[in-house]
Amino acid sequence: KRLVDNIFNKTAISFAFLCSMLLIALSFFQKIIISVNPFMWKGYIIPASYGLIVGLFLGSYIVRLKNSLKINQESELKYRTILNVMEDSVYICSSDYYVEYANPAMSKRMKKDIVGKKCFEEIYNFDEKCPWCVQHEMNRMGSLHYDFLNPLDNKDYHVTNTPIPKNNNSFSKLT
């Protein structure tokens, strides 16, 4: 029981998907050879009852997957809308310094689209990362808040940098 609990707690595989795979595997042990059968595969068939059960399990898995995708799309739309209506300049920068997103206020401030370009080149006209960059410190420190005198316009800004984790164990920086 503990092993099964650990498997379900540590993986994203649904119970229905595991059951359907188990039924498919079990069905291959039945060697019923029928020349014309829609469930035949390599001389083994999946009896119609198993096919129905597998179909129901896979169907429910697909429905849950589509619902999950819809929820993720709605969530992305909600947060993108929030960032787009902010009057403060906001951008998201990858760990290799490429701008992944800039809200309309940032694009207006820069007077150009900076997405897909190196942040230090487009925002501060530097050839290498900014001397004050906190990109790689954020991973161990979390969000950082500080006051910053922008060398381009000599204005003070209160800056918040927040790491955004990614699936590949890297992160982007929301500024």
Side-chain angles (χ1 to χ4, degrees):
K1 183 178 182 335
R2 181 177 286 166
L3 176 62
V4 171
D5 289 342
N6 285 339
I7 289 171
F8 284 111
N9 287 335
K10 293 182 181 178
T11 64
I13 298 173
S14 73
F15 179 72
F17 182 73
L18 286 174
C19 287
S20 64
M21 293 299 106
L22 178 63
L23 286 172
I24 289 172
L26 288 175
S27 69
F28 289 136
F29 289 108
Q30 294 186 5
K31 194 169 190 177
I32 302 171
I33 301 174
I34 299 174
S35 60
V36 179
N37 189 313
F39 297 107
M40 181 177 279
W41 183 76
K42 292 188 179 180
Y44 296 94
I45 68 157
I46 300 174
S49 59
Y50 285 176
L52 179 63
I53 293 169
V54 169
L56 289 173
F57 280 127
L58 286 178
S60 80
Y61 178 74
I62 291 169
V63 167
R64 280 194 308 244
L65 190 60
K66 285 183 178 181
N67 288 341
S68 177
L69 181 60
K70 182 180 177 186
I71 290 168
N72 286 343
Q73 289 170 338
E74 289 172 355
S75 177
E76 179 186 352
L77 179 62
K78 176 174 70 173
Y79 293 113
R80 186 175 293 273
T81 301
I82 291 168
L83 291 174
N84 283 343
V85 299
M86 287 180 63
E87 294 179 9
D88 293 330
S89 300
V90 176
Y91 68 96
I92 298 174
C93 186
S94 68
S95 58
D96 54 355
Y97 309 105
Y98 284 96
V99 177
E100 298 174 329
Y101 168 83
N103 74 342
M106 183 66 176
S107 296
K108 182 178 177 183
R109 180 174 158 226
M110 299 306 304
K111 299 181 175 119
K112 60 184 172 181
D113 184 20
I114 61 172
V115 175
K117 300 172 182 160
K118 295 273 189 176
C119 57
F120 54 81
E121 292 174 350
E122 296 301 317
I123 299 172
Y124 296 104
N125 299 319
F126 289 154
D127 293 329
E128 55 187 27
K129 78 174 188 149
C130 304
W132 58 84
C133 184
V134 295
Q135 177 77 13
H136 295 289
E137 295 172 27
M138 289 177 32
N139 194 27
R140 63 182 171 82
M141 298 179 76
S143 294
L144 300 173
H145 307 270
Y146 54 92
D147 292 320
F148 173 71
L149 176 64
N150 187 327
L152 296 179
D153 61 10
N154 285 329
K155 290 184 180 178
D156 281 317
Y157 293 92
H158 181 75
V159 178
T160 301
N161 291 295
T162 303
I164 302 173
K166 292 185 171 184
N167 290 337
N168 62 359
N169 293 330
S170 69
F171 64 95
S172 294
K173 176 184 72 161
L174 172 69
T175 303

